[in-house]
Amino acid sequence: MFQQVINKMFKNNNFIPILLFFAVIILLKYQNYISMTEIRNLIKCVKSGKRVTISKPNSLDSTNQQDKAFEELTTELRQVGGIEYKCPNLINRGNWHDCNSSPFIARKQCLVYSFGINYDFRFDDAMARVGCEVHSFDPSMGNTTKHIRKSEVHFHPIGIGGKSNDAIIPRMDQYTKKHPKKTWKVRTLRQIMESLGHEDRILDILKIDIETYEWEVLQNILSDNLTSRIRQLELEFHIFPNTADVSNYVELLQIYRSLKKAGFSRYTCTVYRFDNTKKVLQAECGLVNFKFDFYKYPLKHVV
């Protein structure tokens, strides 16, 4: 019945239903329920008067779709230029970037969280010079204790995770092998904000570079409804082989899709490592949030 209605409205040049038809198609595409190839074939069929057959899309839940999910995720991040939004004023802040354009500008009294330091505070110190209150977090830096740097950056020897844990045993890599017996204390983003008295503030920039743990953190931020309070997100995506917590590429793709639906668009992205056969990805991206609550948290000019 639905197919007959579609065919009839094209034949009779009834433009209001045609517009509604295309609105539905755009919505389906936005929700990732239909591909561009399927859209083109659908339009070609209905215009020619042929019977329209809309097949149920393959579910990405089956194990045989893991390769497809990895390819879709990495293809998007490896697009030429790697961007979805052209930032008018892209600035280097140490070893990371900042989209220093309205309405995403980080001004004096801004708040910045930086997770994953490895003794490199260039980004953190640069944001402190802008006038931001900067908090740096890394539980992997040996016996480095809580302190305030000369740049007034606040360092905290704890990490961020998908849930609270006082004694997590980290996965061994080039960073953690320096202190193999050290366990980590991690908290969720909401718990960290509350502990620092920032429960009613927004994050002008949230930087996360935590070697595959970013996926569970992103999932927690999304489920905790904190995305509308993050103006910019500086993030390094990691997928490494033989890593159980990031081997479900279907789940990673769904997390990435949810991040985009929450309003985040890439303004810069650099791929450092990629191997489709070995399933390796390392990409450093900057994202701005178009669904940030601009009305509740407008930009303020501070002298």
PDB file of all heavy atoms in Angstrom, residues 59-87:
ATOM      1  N   SER A  59      21.613  -5.680  10.004  1.00  0.00           N
ATOM      2  CA  SER A  59      21.881  -5.281  11.383  1.00  0.00           C
ATOM      3  C   SER A  59      23.373  -5.305  11.637  1.00  0.00           C
ATOM      4  O   SER A  59      24.087  -6.199  11.187  1.00  0.00           O
ATOM      5  CB  SER A  59      21.174  -6.239  12.348  1.00  0.00           C
ATOM      6  OG  SER A  59      21.588  -5.973  13.670  1.00  0.00           O
ATOM      7  N   LEU A  60      23.852  -4.287  12.346  1.00  0.00           N
ATOM      8  CA  LEU A  60      25.270  -4.256  12.710  1.00  0.00           C
ATOM      9  C   LEU A  60      25.526  -4.980  14.023  1.00  0.00           C
ATOM     10  O   LEU A  60      26.576  -4.850  14.613  1.00  0.00           O
ATOM     11  CB  LEU A  60      25.737  -2.797  12.819  1.00  0.00           C
ATOM     12  CG  LEU A  60      25.983  -2.074  11.499  1.00  0.00           C
ATOM     13  CD1 LEU A  60      26.353  -0.626  11.769  1.00  0.00           C
ATOM     14  CD2 LEU A  60      27.054  -2.746  10.690  1.00  0.00           C
ATOM     15  N   ASP A  61      24.525  -5.750  14.477  1.00  0.00           N
ATOM     16  CA  ASP A  61      24.692  -6.455  15.737  1.00  0.00           C
ATOM     17  C   ASP A  61      25.347  -7.822  15.553  1.00  0.00           C
ATOM     18  O   ASP A  61      25.872  -8.395  16.490  1.00  0.00           O
ATOM     19  CB  ASP A  61      23.337  -6.637  16.435  1.00  0.00           C
ATOM     20  CG  ASP A  61      22.761  -5.292  16.864  1.00  0.00           C
ATOM     21  OD1 ASP A  61      23.562  -4.385  17.121  1.00  0.00           O
ATOM     22  OD2 ASP A  61      21.533  -5.160  16.919  1.00  0.00           O
ATOM     23  N   SER A  62      25.292  -8.389  14.360  1.00  0.00           N
ATOM     24  CA  SER A  62      25.847  -9.718  14.139  1.00  0.00           C
ATOM     25  C   SER A  62      27.361  -9.655  14.040  1.00  0.00           C
ATOM     26  O   SER A  62      27.940  -8.653  13.612  1.00  0.00           O
ATOM     27  CB  SER A  62      25.256 -10.319  12.864  1.00  0.00           C
ATOM     28  OG  SER A  62      25.515  -9.468  11.772  1.00  0.00           O
ATOM     29  N   THR A  63      27.995 -10.738  14.443  1.00  0.00           N
ATOM     30  CA  THR A  63      29.463 -10.752  14.498  1.00  0.00           C
ATOM     31  C   THR A  63      30.094 -10.598  13.118  1.00  0.00           C
ATOM     32  O   THR A  63      31.202 -10.076  13.001  1.00  0.00           O
ATOM     33  CB  THR A  63      29.952 -12.066  15.133  1.00  0.00           C
ATOM     34  OG1 THR A  63      29.377 -13.176  14.417  1.00  0.00           O
ATOM     35  CG2 THR A  63      29.535 -12.164  16.581  1.00  0.00           C
ATOM     36  N   ASN A  64      29.406 -11.040  12.070  1.00  0.00           N
ATOM     37  CA  ASN A  64      29.981 -10.931  10.727  1.00  0.00           C
ATOM     38  C   ASN A  64      29.955  -9.508  10.193  1.00  0.00           C
ATOM     39  O   ASN A  64      30.394  -9.246   9.086  1.00  0.00           O
ATOM     40  CB  ASN A  64      29.272 -11.880   9.751  1.00  0.00           C
ATOM     41  CG  ASN A  64      27.812 -11.526   9.568  1.00  0.00           C
ATOM     42  OD1 ASN A  64      27.301 -10.637  10.238  1.00  0.00           O
ATOM     43  ND2 ASN A  64      27.140 -12.226   8.672  1.00  0.00           N
ATOM     44  N   GLN A  65      29.431  -8.553  10.978  1.00  0.00           N
ATOM     45  CA  GLN A  65      29.413  -7.154  10.571  1.00  0.00           C
ATOM     46  C   GLN A  65      30.540  -6.347  11.226  1.00  0.00           C
ATOM     47  O   GLN A  65      30.633  -5.136  11.039  1.00  0.00           O
ATOM     48  CB  GLN A  65      28.065  -6.528  10.941  1.00  0.00           C
ATOM     49  CG  GLN A  65      26.886  -7.064  10.153  1.00  0.00           C
ATOM     50  CD  GLN A  65      27.017  -6.762   8.671  1.00  0.00           C
ATOM     51  OE1 GLN A  65      27.294  -5.634   8.291  1.00  0.00           O
ATOM     52  NE2 GLN A  65      26.810  -7.759   7.848  1.00  0.00           N
ATOM     53  N   GLN A  66      31.417  -7.010  11.974  1.00  0.00           N
ATOM     54  CA  GLN A  66      32.495  -6.295  12.658  1.00  0.00           C
ATOM     55  C   GLN A  66      33.436  -5.590  11.675  1.00  0.00           C
ATOM     56  O   GLN A  66      33.815  -4.431  11.885  1.00  0.00           O
ATOM     57  CB  GLN A  66      33.283  -7.263  13.545  1.00  0.00           C
ATOM     58  CG  GLN A  66      32.508  -7.821  14.736  1.00  0.00           C
ATOM     59  CD  GLN A  66      32.172  -6.759  15.772  1.00  0.00           C
ATOM     60  OE1 GLN A  66      32.800  -5.707  15.829  1.00  0.00           O
ATOM     61  NE2 GLN A  66      31.180  -7.025  16.598  1.00  0.00           N
ATOM     62  N   ASP A  67      33.797  -6.284  10.603  1.00  0.00           N
ATOM     63  CA  ASP A  67      34.682  -5.672   9.611  1.00  0.00           C
ATOM     64  C   ASP A  67      34.030  -4.464   8.963  1.00  0.00           C
ATOM     65  O   ASP A  67      34.679  -3.447   8.720  1.00  0.00           O
ATOM     66  CB  ASP A  67      35.065  -6.704   8.538  1.00  0.00           C
ATOM     67  CG  ASP A  67      36.055  -7.732   9.053  1.00  0.00           C
ATOM     68  OD1 ASP A  67      36.644  -7.494  10.121  1.00  0.00           O
ATOM     69  OD2 ASP A  67      36.240  -8.758   8.383  1.00  0.00           O
ATOM     70  N   LYS A  68      32.745  -4.585   8.670  1.00  0.00           N
ATOM     71  CA  LYS A  68      32.002  -3.486   8.052  1.00  0.00           C
ATOM     72  C   LYS A  68      31.960  -2.279   8.979  1.00  0.00           C
ATOM     73  O   LYS A  68      32.122  -1.136   8.540  1.00  0.00           O
ATOM     74  CB  LYS A  68      30.586  -3.941   7.713  1.00  0.00           C
ATOM     75  CG  LYS A  68      29.743  -2.875   7.029  1.00  0.00           C
ATOM     76  CD  LYS A  68      28.361  -3.399   6.695  1.00  0.00           C
ATOM     77  CE  LYS A  68      27.499  -2.307   6.053  1.00  0.00           C
ATOM     78  NZ  LYS A  68      26.132  -2.783   5.741  1.00  0.00           N
ATOM     79  N   ALA A  69      31.752  -2.526  10.270  1.00  0.00           N
ATOM     80  CA  ALA A  69      31.699  -1.436  11.244  1.00  0.00           C
ATOM     81  C   ALA A  69      33.054  -0.739  11.356  1.00  0.00           C
ATOM     82  O   ALA A  69      33.122   0.498  11.402  1.00  0.00           O
ATOM     83  CB  ALA A  69      31.262  -1.973  12.605  1.00  0.00           C
ATOM     84  N   PHE A  70      34.133  -1.517  11.391  1.00  0.00           N
ATOM     85  CA  PHE A  70      35.480  -0.932  11.473  1.00  0.00           C
ATOM     86  C   PHE A  70      35.764  -0.085  10.235  1.00  0.00           C
ATOM     87  O   PHE A  70      36.281   1.031  10.338  1.00  0.00           O
ATOM     88  CB  PHE A  70      36.530  -2.044  11.594  1.00  0.00           C
ATOM     89  CG  PHE A  70      37.944  -1.539  11.683  1.00  0.00           C
ATOM     90  CD1 PHE A  70      38.475  -1.132  12.894  1.00  0.00           C
ATOM     91  CD2 PHE A  70      38.737  -1.458  10.540  1.00  0.00           C
ATOM     92  CE1 PHE A  70      39.779  -0.651  12.978  1.00  0.00           C
ATOM     93  CE2 PHE A  70      40.030  -0.975  10.606  1.00  0.00           C
ATOM     94  CZ  PHE A  70      40.562  -0.568  11.833  1.00  0.00           C
ATOM     95  N   GLU A  71      35.385  -0.603   9.078  1.00  0.00           N
ATOM     96  CA  GLU A  71      35.625   0.127   7.832  1.00  0.00           C
ATOM     97  C   GLU A  71      34.830   1.428   7.788  1.00  0.00           C
ATOM     98  O   GLU A  71      35.352   2.467   7.385  1.00  0.00           O
ATOM     99  CB  GLU A  71      35.248  -0.756   6.639  1.00  0.00           C
ATOM    100  CG  GLU A  71      35.519  -0.088   5.303  1.00  0.00           C
ATOM    101  CD  GLU A  71      35.183  -0.984   4.129  1.00  0.00           C
ATOM    102  OE1 GLU A  71      34.779  -2.149   4.339  1.00  0.00           O
ATOM    103  OE2 GLU A  71      35.320  -0.518   2.982  1.00  0.00           O
ATOM    104  N   GLU A  72      33.581   1.385   8.221  1.00  0.00           N
ATOM    105  CA  GLU A  72      32.754   2.593   8.201  1.00  0.00           C
ATOM    106  C   GLU A  72      33.302   3.653   9.149  1.00  0.00           C
ATOM    107  O   GLU A  72      33.361   4.838   8.808  1.00  0.00           O
ATOM    108  CB  GLU A  72      31.309   2.259   8.570  1.00  0.00           C
ATOM    109  CG  GLU A  72      30.387   3.466   8.512  1.00  0.00           C
ATOM    110  CD  GLU A  72      28.921   3.098   8.716  1.00  0.00           C
ATOM    111  OE1 GLU A  72      28.564   1.924   8.533  1.00  0.00           O
ATOM    112  OE2 GLU A  72      28.136   4.004   9.062  1.00  0.00           O
ATOM    113  N   LEU A  73      33.698   3.232  10.348  1.00  0.00           N
ATOM    114  CA  LEU A  73      34.226   4.173  11.335  1.00  0.00           C
ATOM    115  C   LEU A  73      35.522   4.806  10.855  1.00  0.00           C
ATOM    116  O   LEU A  73      35.688   6.033  10.881  1.00  0.00           O
ATOM    117  CB  LEU A  73      34.451   3.450  12.663  1.00  0.00           C
ATOM    118  CG  LEU A  73      35.139   4.245  13.778  1.00  0.00           C
ATOM    119  CD1 LEU A  73      34.326   5.478  14.145  1.00  0.00           C
ATOM    120  CD2 LEU A  73      35.343   3.364  15.010  1.00  0.00           C
ATOM    121  N   THR A  74      36.442   3.983  10.391  1.00  0.00           N
ATOM    122  CA  THR A  74      37.754   4.500   9.983  1.00  0.00           C
ATOM    123  C   THR A  74      37.680   5.282   8.679  1.00  0.00           C
ATOM    124  O   THR A  74      38.427   6.242   8.490  1.00  0.00           O
ATOM    125  CB  THR A  74      38.759   3.350   9.845  1.00  0.00           C
ATOM    126  OG1 THR A  74      38.259   2.364   8.924  1.00  0.00           O
ATOM    127  CG2 THR A  74      39.005   2.690  11.191  1.00  0.00           C
ATOM    128  N   THR A  75      36.779   4.914   7.784  1.00  0.00           N
ATOM    129  CA  THR A  75      36.629   5.651   6.525  1.00  0.00           C
ATOM    130  C   THR A  75      36.204   7.082   6.800  1.00  0.00           C
ATOM    131  O   THR A  75      36.710   8.028   6.193  1.00  0.00           O
ATOM    132  CB  THR A  75      35.600   4.964   5.608  1.00  0.00           C
ATOM    133  OG1 THR A  75      36.073   3.658   5.260  1.00  0.00           O
ATOM    134  CG2 THR A  75      35.392   5.779   4.336  1.00  0.00           C
ATOM    135  N   GLU A  76      35.287   7.269   7.733  1.00  0.00           N
ATOM    136  CA  GLU A  76      34.820   8.618   8.061  1.00  0.00           C
ATOM    137  C   GLU A  76      35.935   9.459   8.657  1.00  0.00           C
ATOM    138  O   GLU A  76      36.114  10.618   8.294  1.00  0.00           O
ATOM    139  CB  GLU A  76      33.637   8.546   9.027  1.00  0.00           C
ATOM    140  CG  GLU A  76      33.159   9.898   9.462  1.00  0.00           C
ATOM    141  CD  GLU A  76      31.652   9.956   9.658  1.00  0.00           C
ATOM    142  OE1 GLU A  76      30.969   8.983   9.320  1.00  0.00           O
ATOM    143  OE2 GLU A  76      31.178  10.977  10.159  1.00  0.00           O
ATOM    144  N   LEU A  77      36.710   8.871   9.552  1.00  0.00           N
ATOM    145  CA  LEU A  77      37.783   9.625  10.198  1.00  0.00           C
ATOM    146  C   LEU A  77      38.937   9.902   9.239  1.00  0.00           C
ATOM    147  O   LEU A  77      39.705  10.848   9.449  1.00  0.00           O
ATOM    148  CB  LEU A  77      38.296   8.867  11.420  1.00  0.00           C
ATOM    149  CG  LEU A  77      37.314   8.747  12.596  1.00  0.00           C
ATOM    150  CD1 LEU A  77      37.895   7.868  13.687  1.00  0.00           C
ATOM    151  CD2 LEU A  77      36.965  10.111  13.148  1.00  0.00           C
ATOM    152  N   ARG A  78      39.038   9.091   8.175  1.00  0.00           N
ATOM    153  CA  ARG A  78      40.142   9.253   7.226  1.00  0.00           C
ATOM    154  C   ARG A  78      39.738  10.024   5.978  1.00  0.00           C
ATOM    155  O   ARG A  78      40.480  10.065   5.003  1.00  0.00           O
ATOM    156  CB  ARG A  78      40.687   7.877   6.812  1.00  0.00           C
ATOM    157  CG  ARG A  78      41.378   7.123   7.925  1.00  0.00           C
ATOM    158  CD  ARG A  78      42.019   5.829   7.442  1.00  0.00           C
ATOM    159  NE  ARG A  78      41.042   4.903   6.877  1.00  0.00           N
ATOM    160  CZ  ARG A  78      40.962   4.570   5.588  1.00  0.00           C
ATOM    161  NH1 ARG A  78      41.810   5.099   4.725  1.00  0.00           N
ATOM    162  NH2 ARG A  78      40.047   3.731   5.155  1.00  0.00           N
ATOM    163  N   GLN A  79      38.581  10.657   5.976  1.00  0.00           N
ATOM    164  CA  GLN A  79      38.160  11.470   4.847  1.00  0.00           C
ATOM    165  C   GLN A  79      39.196  12.544   4.554  1.00  0.00           C
ATOM    166  O   GLN A  79      39.900  13.012   5.448  1.00  0.00           O
ATOM    167  CB  GLN A  79      36.819  12.151   5.139  1.00  0.00           C
ATOM    168  CG  GLN A  79      35.636  11.201   5.157  1.00  0.00           C
ATOM    169  CD  GLN A  79      34.356  11.932   5.526  1.00  0.00           C
ATOM    170  OE1 GLN A  79      34.348  13.150   5.655  1.00  0.00           O
ATOM    171  NE2 GLN A  79      33.283  11.188   5.705  1.00  0.00           N
ATOM    172  N   VAL A  80      39.267  12.933   3.291  1.00  0.00           N
ATOM    173  CA  VAL A  80      40.239  13.962   2.900  1.00  0.00           C
ATOM    174  C   VAL A  80      39.986  15.227   3.717  1.00  0.00           C
ATOM    175  O   VAL A  80      38.902  15.791   3.705  1.00  0.00           O
ATOM    176  CB  VAL A  80      40.118  14.282   1.394  1.00  0.00           C
ATOM    177  CG1 VAL A  80      41.085  15.402   1.017  1.00  0.00           C
ATOM    178  CG2 VAL A  80      40.402  13.037   0.575  1.00  0.00           C
ATOM    179  N   GLY A  81      41.004  15.649   4.415  1.00  0.00           N
ATOM    180  CA  GLY A  81      40.855  16.821   5.274  1.00  0.00           C
ATOM    181  C   GLY A  81      40.330  16.463   6.646  1.00  0.00           C
ATOM    182  O   GLY A  81      40.614  17.130   7.624  1.00  0.00           O
ATOM    183  N   GLY A  82      39.529  15.391   6.729  1.00  0.00           N
ATOM    184  CA  GLY A  82      39.031  14.898   8.005  1.00  0.00           C
ATOM    185  C   GLY A  82      38.103  15.834   8.746  1.00  0.00           C
ATOM    186  O   GLY A  82      37.918  15.705   9.949  1.00  0.00           O
ATOM    187  N   ILE A  83      37.493  16.804   8.037  1.00  0.00           N
ATOM    188  CA  ILE A  83      36.690  17.789   8.752  1.00  0.00           C
ATOM    189  C   ILE A  83      35.250  17.827   8.255  1.00  0.00           C
ATOM    190  O   ILE A  83      34.952  17.472   7.120  1.00  0.00           O
ATOM    191  CB  ILE A  83      37.303  19.200   8.656  1.00  0.00           C
ATOM    192  CG1 ILE A  83      37.331  19.685   7.192  1.00  0.00           C
ATOM    193  CG2 ILE A  83      38.692  19.234   9.256  1.00  0.00           C
ATOM    194  CD1 ILE A  83      37.733  21.135   7.051  1.00  0.00           C
ATOM    195  N   GLU A  84      34.356  18.254   9.143  1.00  0.00           N
ATOM    196  CA  GLU A  84      32.949  18.465   8.821  1.00  0.00           C
ATOM    197  C   GLU A  84      32.571  19.941   8.976  1.00  0.00           C
ATOM    198  O   GLU A  84      31.562  20.386   8.452  1.00  0.00           O
ATOM    199  CB  GLU A  84      32.073  17.623   9.752  1.00  0.00           C
ATOM    200  CG  GLU A  84      32.338  16.127   9.633  1.00  0.00           C
ATOM    201  CD  GLU A  84      31.764  15.346  10.800  1.00  0.00           C
ATOM    202  OE1 GLU A  84      32.104  15.667  11.955  1.00  0.00           O
ATOM    203  OE2 GLU A  84      30.995  14.411  10.554  1.00  0.00           O
ATOM    204  N   TYR A  85      33.401  20.676   9.713  1.00  0.00           N
ATOM    205  CA  TYR A  85      33.157  22.102   9.950  1.00  0.00           C
ATOM    206  C   TYR A  85      34.472  22.843   9.749  1.00  0.00           C
ATOM    207  O   TYR A  85      35.497  22.495  10.339  1.00  0.00           O
ATOM    208  CB  TYR A  85      32.639  22.319  11.371  1.00  0.00           C
ATOM    209  CG  TYR A  85      32.636  23.769  11.820  1.00  0.00           C
ATOM    210  CD1 TYR A  85      31.766  24.686  11.245  1.00  0.00           C
ATOM    211  CD2 TYR A  85      33.509  24.215  12.811  1.00  0.00           C
ATOM    212  CE1 TYR A  85      31.766  26.024  11.637  1.00  0.00           C
ATOM    213  CE2 TYR A  85      33.512  25.542  13.223  1.00  0.00           C
ATOM    214  CZ  TYR A  85      32.638  26.438  12.634  1.00  0.00           C
ATOM    215  OH  TYR A  85      32.637  27.757  13.020  1.00  0.00           O
ATOM    216  N   LYS A  86      34.460  23.851   8.890  1.00  0.00           N
ATOM    217  CA  LYS A  86      35.661  24.637   8.641  1.00  0.00           C
ATOM    218  C   LYS A  86      35.745  25.757   9.660  1.00  0.00           C
ATOM    219  O   LYS A  86      34.997  26.733   9.608  1.00  0.00           O
ATOM    220  CB  LYS A  86      35.650  25.213   7.220  1.00  0.00           C
ATOM    221  CG  LYS A  86      36.950  25.900   6.846  1.00  0.00           C
ATOM    222  CD  LYS A  86      36.955  26.337   5.395  1.00  0.00           C
ATOM    223  CE  LYS A  86      38.281  27.003   5.034  1.00  0.00           C
ATOM    224  NZ  LYS A  86      38.305  27.443   3.611  1.00  0.00           N
ATOM    225  N   CYS A  87      36.656  25.610  10.595  1.00  0.00           N
ATOM    226  CA  CYS A  87      36.812  26.604  11.658  1.00  0.00           C
ATOM    227  C   CYS A  87      37.478  27.858  11.093  1.00  0.00           C
ATOM    228  O   CYS A  87      38.576  27.778  10.525  1.00  0.00           O
ATOM    229  CB  CYS A  87      37.661  26.024  12.801  1.00  0.00           C
ATOM    230  SG  CYS A  87      37.944  27.182  14.147  1.00  0.00           S
TER     231      CYS A  87
END
